Structures are given as C-alpha cells and as structure tokens.
Amino acid sequence: MAESVPAADVHAHDDHGHHEQSFASKYLFSTDHKMIAMQYMFTGMAMALIGGFFAYAFRMQLAFPGMDVPFWGQVSAAEYNALVTNHGTIMIFWVAMPVLIAAFGNYLIPLMCGCDDMVFPRLNRLSYQIFLLSAVVLIASFFVEGGAFGGAWTAYPPLSAKAEYSLTPLGSTIWVIAVALEFVAFLLGGINFVTTAMNSRAEGMGMYDIPVVIWMIVIASILFMASVGPLIAGAVMLVFDQTLGTNFFDPDRGGDPILWQHLFWFFGHPEVYVVLLPALGITADIMATFSRKKIFAYKTVLYTTFATGVLSFMVWAHHQFIAGVDPRMAHVFTITTLLISIPIAELCFVYIATLYKGSITLSTPMLWALAFLGEFLIGGVTGIFLGASGADVYFHDTYFVLAHFHYTFFPIAIIGTFAGVTYWFPKMFGRMMNETLGKIHFWGTVIPFNCIFIPLFFLGMGGQHRRIYNYENFPELAGQGMQDIRIFATVSLLVMLAFQVVFFINFIMSLRSGKKAPNNPWRANTLEWQTPSPPPHGNFGSEMPKVYRGPYEYGTPGREEDFWPQNAPS
Amino acid sequence: MAMRPIATTRQVTGIPTGRLATWWVIGSEIVIFGGLLGSYLMHRLVNMQWANYAAHTNTWAGAFNTLVLLTSSLSAVLAHHAASHGDGKKAARYLWMTMGGGALFVAVKAVEWTHEIQLGYTISSNAFWAFYYTAAGLHALHVIAGVIIMGIISVACLKNEDLHRVELIGNYWHFVDLVWIFLFPLLYIAK
Ligand code: HEM
Ligand SMILES: [Cu+2]
C-alpha cells in the first residue's frame, strides 16, 4: 500500500466532512480513531460500573454476613465467588486495559503524532468489535445454568478445569473464552498502536520528540504482545481440559496444575506493567504541563521503562512462592523482584524532580496526577515486602496482598483514568469541565480509597485470609475488632461510590453546558492541542502539522510565552 | 470510497507498514507456539515414558508432510519473485501451487489422525496425546488460514492489484513452515 499511494500530505482531506453520515456509520461502524476511542472509553466505564457494583455486593456480605443486600439480595457462597472473580477480571481486562490503552491510545496516538488516523482503520474497528463481543460473552456467563465462574481471576486448576470442583460447568468455559477474545482484541489493537507510532509520525517528529504517554502506550502494547502468547496457549489447554476431557492440568492423569500458574503469571506480571505504563505516561504529560517544566530526564525515563519491561518477564514466580517452587528458585525471583523496584523507584524520583521548583497549578487533572504518584508509592513499597520470599510465606493470600495490589491498580486504573479524562476532556468534547465539582469528586474519591484499603493491610497482617465468604465461621478471625474494621472499609466504599455520582453529574453537565474550550486551554505543547477542540475529521484541517522540537519545551528563557508548541516554526 | 487516511500513506521508518504488521502477527504467534511447545518440553523432560507414546506416531507421514511444506515455501518464494517483477498472473499461479501444498498437508494429517484415533489414541488418552493433537491441530489451523488468505490474495493478483501482499503472506507461510520444523522432531522423531 505504501508504494501505490503518493505521500501527498496536503489537502488530501478537503473533500471530507461534507457527506452526511448515518447514525450507524457514524457511531457504530466508524473507522475514525476518535470515535473508536470513545467506544472503548464508554464501554470501559460501563464495565467499571458493573465491576464496582460487584465490589459493593461482596463487600456488603463481608461487613454484614447474611444481609439482604439492596439491589442484589442475599449473597450466596457461590454468588460471592462469582462476584469476586468477575470483579477482578472486569477491572483489569475490561476497565484498565480498554480505557488506559485502547481509549487513550486510540485517541492520542494519531493526534499527538500529527496524523489523521491509525494506519489500519478497519482493523481498529474490528478490534473494538471483538472487544465488545468479549464483554457481552463475559456478562452472559452470569445467566447460564450453574452461574458465572467463581474460581478467582487467576483461574487455577484443578478448580477451574473440572466442573465437579467449580460447579460452574458452563460459566468457567465462557469465562476463559471471554478472556481469550479480549486478548485477541488487544493483539489486533496493538498492531495499530505500534505501527502508527512508528510509521505515521508528522514530518520532523524524531523518536525523542514523541510525548512520553505515546511511548508508554507503545511499550505497553509490546509487553502485552510478548507475554500473552503462553497464556493464550494455556487458555486453549484449559478449555480442552474443561470440555474435551484432556488432562494438561490434571495431576491424576499426568498433567500439572503448576504449569497453569507459570503460564498465567508469566503473562500476569508483565500485565501489571502493561496497565501501569499508560498511567505513568498520562501523569507525566500532565505534570509537565502543570508545573510548566520539561520532564526531568526524558531519555532516562525511556531507558528506565525499557529496563522495567525486560525485568518484568523475570519475576513471575513471586506469585508462587508457596506453590512448591524450589527455595533456591525463590531466591532468584526474590532478587529479580527487588531489582525491578529500582527502575520503578527511579521513575518516581524523576516525577518528583519534574515537579521540583516548577510553577505548579493545582488543577483537577494535576491533583489526580499527584495523587497517582503518592498512592502508587504505597502500592510499590508494600510490594517489596511481598517480593521477599521469607515474608511472603506469611503474607501470601492474605488481605495484605489484596491491599497491596489495590494500592497499585486503583491509582492506575481509577486515578490515572480520571487524570487523563479531566485533562483531555476539553479536547475530546470541546467543553471545559467544572473545576469545583472536579475537586469535590477528587477528594471524595481519594480519601475514602485510603479508608478502604489501609485497614485491609492491618487485617491482612492480623492473618485475615482472602477469598473467604463469611468470617464468622473462623473463630480466630470472627472477633468484633476485626469485624469493625471490615465494616469501616465497606462504609468507606459506599462513600466512595456515592461520590462517583458527582463525576457523572460533572461529566454530563460539562458536556451539555460547560464553557466552550479553546484549542489549547492548558497552554501545552503537544500537537493535539494545536488543533480545534474537538478536532475535526482528519484532525488537522487541510495542512498536516510539521514538528520542530520536543514536547516539553516549557519556560524557555528568552521567549515571551512560557510554552513552545511542537509545531510552531521558531 | 472514502479517501485513504494520510496515516496509511506514511512510512517514517522506511519499512512498509504492512511488513511491520506482519512481523507483529508473527511475533505474537511465536510466543503462542513458544508457550505451548515450552510446556510440552518441560513435561517431556521429566516424563520418560512419553517416548513410548511418541513411538506410535507416524514418522513417515510427518516426514512426507515436512517435504510438502518445504516445497510449498519454495513456490511462495517464487510467487514473491514474480510479484516483485509485477507479474500478477505468474504470482497467482505460484500461490496456487503453495495452496495445493497446504491442502495436501492437511489431507495427509486427516488420514494420519483418523488412523490414530481408530487405534484408540485420542486427545484425552493422556497428556502426551493431548499435546500432540493440540499443537499439531493449532498448526493445521494456521495452514488452513494461510491457504484461505492466499486464495484471496491470488484473486487480487490476477488483476495485478496489491501485489505487495504476496510478500506478506509469504512471510507468514515461512513462519508456519518453521513451526512445523519444530513440531516434527518434537512430536514424531524424538522417541
Ligand atoms: C471500587 C473499589 C474497590 C473495592 C472496594 C475493591 C474490593 C475488592 C476486594 C475486597 C477484593 C477481594 C475479595 C476477596 O478475595 O475476598 C477484590 C479483588 C480484586 N480486585 Fe478490587 N476493589 C475495588 C477496585 C478495584 C480496581 C480498580 C481493580 C483493578 C483495576 C481491582 C482489581 C481486583 C482484582 C484483580 C481482584 C482479584 C485479585 C485476586 O483474586 O488475586 N479492584 N477487590
Ligand atoms: Cu507480580
């Protein structure tokens, strides 16, 4: 294709935008990257509501065992398992991935790279359609005979492999198929993210003129591609075990259940960086804009990220310290796990150095970005405890682990997303969001978040195991002191969920009657801000931008303006 | 038809975008088969008795199929050669030869499997046979997919359209070939 079409960048879009499009071709079958980004974003948000509702239902059961939960009813043990399992599955695969990678990736890569679309627009559409199908399939599993799968989002066999154990003959197979479909959607999506950033950048945009967020999404896509293969093979094996009676994972007949753990975590650990990196990228761009400073050590950020990516393939067995891994092997994985915290810590310092002596504006997006840094630090630091195999023997499968990964995932998937949405909202919808409501929502989310999960660290250290339906059955965990803490966490969750209403009000009110957004409300340098809000079809009108400098030239001495758009001729 | 987006016409790295995308697909396939074969090898190394099960596979059928696939890779190269000289008709003819090779491969597989299943070696017999059918089956699916895509491309070739795609499907076909080069010794020869 590259040979057959002349690379005429100018005026190619003049004949666009005149023809009327039907509703279906505009909203359902569009190949425009901005529309596909919106589809991913709104699907992800809808799934977040479902995942959040699940958390509400099972947390109510934990705080008030046996209670008639409003909007759900009595939570049975099987339902509890299904809720927890699918809460985790949804939040990672149907919220964090689609919003952070697919929605922001689709929206930002063409705009920030100065081109008009992805290089494979129809493949892009197909990727969303498969993603949507996967979401529908997952939700369908709640309505089949036996109910949805309840064997945890990690789906360890033999529990997940045999209907006699899982008691969900259909649900467990549907669950694996849904996850596998989601993987296919993201493999297809990744083609576009990587090739568009490689091959379709604006004239003059070198490798080191690419905004950090684009780098991060591209590296995340590569990490995903390189790690998910074995688990796809594993998913095929698991489905065969469930349906054809093979015995890949059945120890009775020559299979090996630990094999699944290896396949799962070989993917599972890089996956946490797959979602972390886009969030890091989003907050990096926001911090630079709102401290009016160059990102500290741009190239170091990239090298550090590569190092993290490589190391992330060498740590997976830290999830299996008590699964019979040879202790000598455990040492190796302890060391690699402690090693990987070095580049991550370095990134945190880079961010702090970017803020240092900046002229900081505490706008809503900036508040989210700062909260991301602070909260994620807690998640990262507690990870070091778990990475030490000696300590992990005690911590494994307690609420300490649970609190740890929520201190990582929540900043990533929720705080990072709100940072990105509030930052790019003016560009996406052409209106400003309300700052007061934004700040109310911010504090109403971040404070209850800490109130939910800090107590869970202490419950975990007190020996509270995960995946237990009713602690009244465990005398040493049933004391009133521990129960009070559970109730406190659940009430905090209710408060946090209630504050999300503020966000939706703000979102809808701003959409309809927010102040009209100028092209570049934050006075930022990157290319998406140098075109109207929202960008027209084709993104940049008749003339595609040319790039003259890097994305973070803020406060350049001797310039009147304190910013310097990438496409402004000097 | 709408204008092609400008994005699809750019080539900043100098490498055609289609080729980059094909490498991405092959990369993801390598890790899928890598995971599967890695798992098989780990089992194989600790389960000495698997050699006895492997003794029941038909090495001659496997060897014949290896030859078929290698030959079909050659015609894929010739198709690429013809396409790069702008000769769509010739490229299509070579693609058909490759497709024929793929079809023959699958036919041999079918006969082979029928025989094995009749002898009672099915996918659920034990973990060796599970790997055998899963790995070879996944590979055969790739052969079938390749044949179908090649058919579509050869039709375009007859009209001298999108000739660059011949190279891309060729790369994919070599990859499918290469996977078999790993499968054949691991499943058939090692006894
Ligand atoms: C709305 C606030 C949230 C609350 C109150 C919450 C609460 C919980 C609780 C209590 C569990 C464990 C239940 C058990 O094992 O007994 C859980 C599991 C899980 N959560 Fe959340 N969660 C929230 C948000 C999130 C987010 C944003 C993510 C990811 C992006 C997430 C990912 C997970 C995962 C993956 C699991 C299962 C982990 C495993 O079983 O190993 N959660 N959640
Ligand atoms: Cu990990």
Side-chain angles (χ1 to χ4, degrees):
Chain A
M1 64 205 67
E3 297 93 306
S4 52
V5 185
D9 269 13
V10 187
H11 296 303
H13 264 281
D14 278 2
D15 53 348
H16 262 255
H18 300 306
H19 45 190
E20 286 297 316
Q21 288 172 306
S22 71
F23 177 85
S25 72
K26 186 157 176 215
Y27 293 104
L28 298 181
F29 300 106
S30 170
T31 53
D32 184 77
H33 72 101
K34 299 186 287 299
M35 183 55 67
I36 294 175
M38 291 302 128
Q39 292 172 332
Y40 268 114
M41 192 165 91
F42 288 116
T43 315
M45 282 183 175
M47 293 303 276
L49 288 178
I50 298 176
F53 177 67
F54 287 1
Y56 151 81
F58 67 67
R59 273 314 308 185
M60 290 300 271
Q61 158 64 23
L62 288 178
F64 313 106
M67 169 198 197
D68 220 350
V69 178
F71 308 111
W72 183 273
Q74 290 257 336
V75 181
S76 72
E79 280 172 0
Y80 177 89
N81 289 339
L83 287 171
V84 171
T85 300
N86 286 281
H87 161 76
T89 312
I90 287 176
M91 289 301 190
I92 292 179
F93 296 124
W94 279 275
V95 177
M97 298 265 298
V99 176
L100 286 170
I101 300 188
F104 286 115
N106 266 305
Y107 196 81
L108 297 177
I109 291 176
L111 274 166
M112 285 184 147
C113 293
C115 59
D116 56 348
D117 208 330
M118 290 288 188
V119 289
F120 299 110
R122 280 179 304 173
L123 201 63
N124 206 14
R125 177 180 60 186
L126 179 67
S127 130
Y128 172 73
Q129 289 166 340
I130 296 177
F131 171 75
L132 184 63
L133 176 70
S134 73
V136 172
V137 170
L138 184 81
I139 292 169
S141 73
F142 274 84
F143 303 99
V144 297
E145 183 87 34
F149 177 56
W153 80 286
T154 49
Y156 282 5
L159 178 57
S160 59
K162 290 198 158 185
E164 300 102 280
Y165 305 149
S166 69
L167 303 180
T168 51
L170 295 172
S172 31
T173 304
I174 297 179
W175 182 90
V176 185
I177 290 174
V179 173
L181 279 174
E182 201 261 6
F183 290 166
V184 172
F186 276 84
L187 279 178
L188 290 181
I191 297 184
N192 265 315
F193 302 151
V194 174
T195 52
T196 305
M198 281 175 80
N199 249 0
S200 297
R201 298 196 304 274
E203 201 182 324
M205 183 181 259
M207 282 226 307
Y208 297 121
D209 300 324
I210 303 175
V212 170
V213 60
I214 303 297
W215 268 112
M216 293 288 188
I217 292 173
V218 167
I219 298 173
S221 301
I222 296 173
L223 285 185
F224 179 79
M225 184 272 259
S227 64
V228 80
L231 188 56
I232 292 182
V236 172
M237 290 148 81
L238 186 56
V239 170
F240 283 1
D241 269 13
Q242 291 168 341
T243 57
L244 299 182
T246 56
N247 35 50
F248 289 110
F249 302 123
D250 181 356
D252 289 344
R253 293 190 296 157
D256 181 8
I258 302 293
L259 172 63
W260 169 267
Q261 298 188 14
H262 286 300
L263 297 178
F264 186 89
W265 289 115
F266 181 80
F267 161 77
H269 194 90
E271 169 68 11
V272 307
Y273 294 98
V274 170
V275 290
L276 169 63
L277 296 187
L280 277 173
I282 288 169
T283 47
D285 269 61
I286 293 175
M287 285 189 192
T289 305
F290 289 106
S291 38
R292 316 307 293 165
K293 269 186 68 189
K294 231 188 179 103
I295 282 183
F296 184 84
Y298 170 95
K299 283 190 187 173
T300 310
V301 171
L302 301 187
Y303 302 148
T304 309
T305 310
F306 289 134
T308 313
V310 172
L311 276 173
S312 75
F313 285 92
M314 304 176 192
V315 299
W316 80 90
H318 63 211
H319 296 276
Q320 299 162 251
F321 282 147
I322 65 156
V325 171
D326 187 317
R328 287 164 300 182
M329 228 31 211
H331 285 318
V332 175
F333 281 96
T334 293
I335 291 168
T336 53
T337 304
L338 299 187
L339 276 181
I340 203 169
S341 58
I342 296 173
I344 292 294
E346 185 183 327
L347 285 178
C348 290
F349 282 121
V350 164
Y351 283 41
I352 293 169
T354 303
L355 297 169
Y356 182 66
K357 288 199 174 158
S359 69
I360 290 174
T361 315
L362 288 180
S363 61
T364 311
M366 184 63 162
L367 285 177
W368 286 114
L370 293 173
F372 169 82
L373 190 59
E375 305 287 10
F376 183 78
L377 268 173
I378 301 178
V381 167
T382 50
I384 298 177
F385 291 65
L386 301 171
S389 57
D392 188 60
V393 169
Y394 297 96
F395 285 134
H396 179 73
D397 250 350
T398 68
Y399 267 61
F400 189 90
V401 173
L402 188 138
H404 150 71
F405 71 70
H406 279 85
Y407 261 100
T408 54
F409 272 133
F410 190 89
I412 292 168
I414 306 297
I415 297 184
T417 296
F418 282 133
V421 169
T422 50
Y423 183 65
W424 279 291
F425 187 94
K427 184 52 60 182
M428 291 174 169
F429 303 106
R431 306 252 180 194
M432 303 302 289
M433 283 188 103
N434 183 307
E435 278 286 306
T436 316
L437 288 180
K439 282 177 185 155
I440 294 174
H441 172 235
F442 169 78
W443 291 110
T445 303
V446 167
I447 295 174
F449 160 65
N450 288 285
C451 295
I452 300 169
F453 289 105
I454 289 280
L456 298 191
F457 277 121
F458 290 101
L459 284 179
M461 287 188 280
Q464 175 171 312
H465 241 254
R466 296 173 64 192
R467 303 192 172 118
I468 283 172
Y469 163 58
N470 186 345
Y471 289 98
E472 285 171 337
N473 302 328
F474 294 80
E476 72 281 14
L477 298 176
Q480 193 55 44
M482 285 185 119
Q483 192 59 28
D484 286 342
I485 301 181
R486 285 178 206 128
I487 295 174
F488 179 76
T490 298
V491 172
S492 306
L493 168 67
L494 296 179
V495 174
M496 186 173 90
L497 289 179
F499 269 100
Q500 302 317 303
V501 176
V502 179
F503 174 77
F504 284 102
I505 292 177
N506 190 359
F507 196 94
I508 291 166
M509 265 180 39
S510 309
L511 260 189
R512 300 177 53 175
S513 53
K515 211 167 84 221
K516 278 254 185 296
N519 288 3
N520 192 357
W522 315 125
R523 304 189 310 136
N525 290 339
T526 41
L527 292 177
E528 83 275 25
W529 300 109
Q530 320 308 331
T531 185
S533 309
H537 188 70
N539 291 347
F540 293 97
S542 58
E543 196 115 5
M544 298 310 273
K546 273 194 190 137
V547 168
Y548 298 93
R549 64 189 62 76
Y552 303 112
E553 300 299 325
Y554 292 106
T556 312
R559 260 182 74 82
E560 208 171 302
E561 295 276 16
D562 76 338
F563 67 112
W564 204 354
Q566 285 190 276
N567 65 339
S570 345
Chain B
M1 196 189 121
M3 272 287 287
R4 270 188 167 158
I6 290 166
T8 62
T9 65
R10 289 190 181 159
Q11 197 175 312
V12 174
T13 55
I15 307 169
T17 309
R19 198 185 295 163
L20 284 177
T22 317
W23 280 115
W24 174 275
V25 172
I26 292 176
S28 15
E29 299 273 16
I30 287 175
V31 277
I32 295 176
F33 279 103
L36 193 60
L37 292 183
S39 305
Y40 168 75
L41 269 177
M42 299 304 276
H43 276 82
R44 188 72 205 254
L45 291 175
V46 294
N47 290 309
M48 290 309 154
Q49 77 274 26
W50 282 26
N52 301 333
Y53 308 138
H56 296 287
T57 58
N58 188 339
T59 313
W60 288 111
F64 177 72
N65 259 347
T66 310
L67 195 71
V68 170
L69 271 195
L70 285 177
T71 317
S72 71
S73 254
L74 177 68
S75 55
V77 172
L78 293 173
H80 175 206
H81 188 74
S84 62
H85 286 85
D87 190 345
K89 292 233 162 47
K90 199 165 163 194
R93 255 177 284 135
Y94 279 122
L95 283 182
W96 293 334
M97 280 174 64
T98 314
M99 289 164 66
L104 183 57
F105 177 91
V106 175
V108 171
K109 263 272 87 91
V111 174
E112 199 189 336
W113 279 17
T114 315
H115 185 65
E116 274 151 7
I117 292 170
Q118 274 166 356
L119 291 178
Y121 306 120
T122 68
I123 191 166
S124 53
S125 292
N126 59 41
F128 171 81
W129 288 105
F131 272 111
Y132 171 81
Y133 284 108
T134 307
L138 201 62
H139 175 260
L141 279 182
H142 283 76
V143 173
I144 295 170
V147 169
I148 294 173
I149 298 169
M150 236 178 262
I152 298 170
I153 291 176
S154 71
V155 173
C157 279
L158 286 178
K159 297 181 237 158
N160 260 338
E161 279 169 11
D162 287 329
L163 288 183
H164 68 282
R165 288 186 179 164
V166 176
E167 178 201 339
L168 306 181
I169 190 67
N171 284 349
Y172 171 83
W173 195 256
H174 299 324
F175 160 75
V176 172
D177 203 353
L178 194 73
V179 171
W180 181 254
I181 300 291
F182 278 92
L183 287 182
F184 177 52
L186 286 175
L187 297 177
Y188 291 80
I189 299 183
K191 290 183 172 154

